Amino acid sequence: MAGRAARLVLLAGVATLASGSQGDREPVYRDCVLRCEERNCSGDALKHFRSRQPIYMSLAGWTCQDDCKYECMWVTVGLYLQEGHKVPQFHGKWPFSRFLFFQEPASAVASFLNGLASLVMLCRYRTFVPASSPMYPTCMAFAWKMDYFCASTVILHSIYLCCVRTVGLQRPTVASAFRALLLLMLTAHVSYLSLVRFDYGYNLAANVAIGLVNVVWWLAWCWWNRQQLPHVRKCMAVVLLLQGLSLLELLDFPPLFWVLDAHAIWHISTIPVHVLFFSFLEEDSLYLLKESKLD
C-alpha cells in the first residue's frame, strides 16, 4: 500500500508533463485494466461476459474492454480517496456512476428535459400563433434546428432569425443574401473541421465570435425597442441568462454523488430559459400579425 501511495504522489507531481489524464496514467489503473482484459476479454471468458451482459449494454456498444476500464476506474478512485488525494480524471472526463448504459446519466436526463421543454413550447407556439404570422416560418425552422443540429448551426440560425426580425421583414432580399452568406460560412467551418483538421482552439474561437455577434445584435435590437415593445424584455433576459449560465461550463469539479457535474447543472438551468424564449417568440409573432392586419 505504501508503494502505491508513493506512485500516486509521484504521478500527481508530474501530471502536467505527460499526456492523457491523471487517472488513466496511474500504473494501478493500467495494471488493473490489463489484468481484467486478460482475464475476461478473450476466449471462453469473453463468451461468458457476453452471455451475462444485459442486452441494452451490448446494443449501446459497451464492450468488455469498456467494462474493464469502468471497473478499474473505481478501483483507482477508491485508492486515491483512501490515500487522501483529489479525485482524478480518466481519459479527459471525471468518473461518473453509470446508470443502465448512460455514462453521464444526469446530463442525459437534463438533455432529454431540454428537448421536452422545447417540444412542449413548440407545440404551444403552433397552437397560439397562426401560420400567417410573418415570423412563423423562421421561428419554426429555428425550433427544429435546436433539436437536431450542433451549437454552431443553432447560433448561426439565431443570427439569421435576428436578421429577419430586424431587417428582413422590410428587406427580404437582404435577409436572403445574408442567409446564403451564413450557409457558406457554416459549410466552410464544417469542411475545415472535418476534412482538414479538427482544431479545438479554432472551433472554440469561431463559436465565441459568432456567439458575440448573436448577443450584441439581439441586445441592441431589444434595447432600441424596449419602450415600443415591452415583450422584448423577455428576449433580453434570455440572452443575458444564457451568457451568465454559460459560465457554469467553465467550472471543473468532480461530479456530486458521482452523477451531477457542471455540464449537467448547465443543461438543467437552461430549461426555463427555453420556455422564456418561446414565450417571447409567441408574443412577438402575435404582435407582428396584428401589425400586418393594420397595414
Side-chain angles (χ1 to χ4, degrees), residues 45-203:
L46 178 59
K47 293 179 181 178
H48 176 68
F49 168 82
R50 289 173 176 171
S51 66
R52 61 183 176 83
Q53 184 184 35
I55 183 64
Y56 58 82
M57 294 291 288
S58 59
L59 290 176
W62 278 87
T63 65
C64 179
Q65 288 79 8
D66 293 330
D67 206 61
C68 284
K69 291 177 181 178
Y70 178 78
E71 297 297 335
C72 291
M73 175 185 71
W74 289 114
V75 171
T76 309
V77 168
L79 180 60
Y80 265 71
L81 294 176
Q82 182 179 344
E83 298 296 332
H85 298 288
K86 294 181 179 180
V87 175
Q89 289 188 340
F90 295 81
H91 305 287
K93 297 182 179 180
W94 292 109
F96 286 87
S97 182
R98 186 177 65 197
F99 176 71
L100 298 179
F101 53 82
F102 295 106
Q103 182 64 45
E104 301 181 25
S107 290
V109 172
S111 297
F112 171 77
L113 293 177
N114 257 297
L116 182 62
S118 296
L119 180 61
V120 170
M121 294 307 295
L122 174 62
C123 292
R124 175 185 168 85
Y125 182 88
R126 295 185 64 181
T127 301
F128 289 96
V129 178
S132 57
S133 172
M135 287 295 292
Y136 185 90
T138 307
C139 291
M140 289 296 297
F142 176 75
W144 288 118
K145 285 177 173 61
M146 285 179 67
D147 282 337
Y148 289 107
F149 295 113
C150 64
S152 300
T153 308
V154 171
I155 297 173
L156 286 174
H157 198 84
S158 178
I159 294 174
Y160 173 65
L161 178 65
C162 189
C163 175
V164 172
R165 183 61 183 90
T166 57
V167 180
L169 295 179
Q170 295 77 29
R171 300 179 178 83
T173 53
V174 174
S176 298
F178 189 67
R179 178 178 59 186
L181 175 63
L182 292 178
L183 288 174
L184 181 62
M185 290 173 57
L186 179 62
T187 301
H189 178 70
V190 173
S191 299
Y192 175 76
L193 293 176
S194 303
L195 303 177
V196 181
R197 183 166 68 100
F198 192 88
D199 188 330
Y200 286 96
Y202 157 75
N203 187 50

Side-chain angles (χ1 to χ4, degrees), residues 249-267:
E249 291 280 42
L250 301 179
L251 300 178
D252 197 24
F253 56 85
L256 303 174
F257 310 109
W258 307 117
V259 172
L260 197 63
D261 69 333
H263 185 66
I265 295 173
W266 176 79
H267 268 301

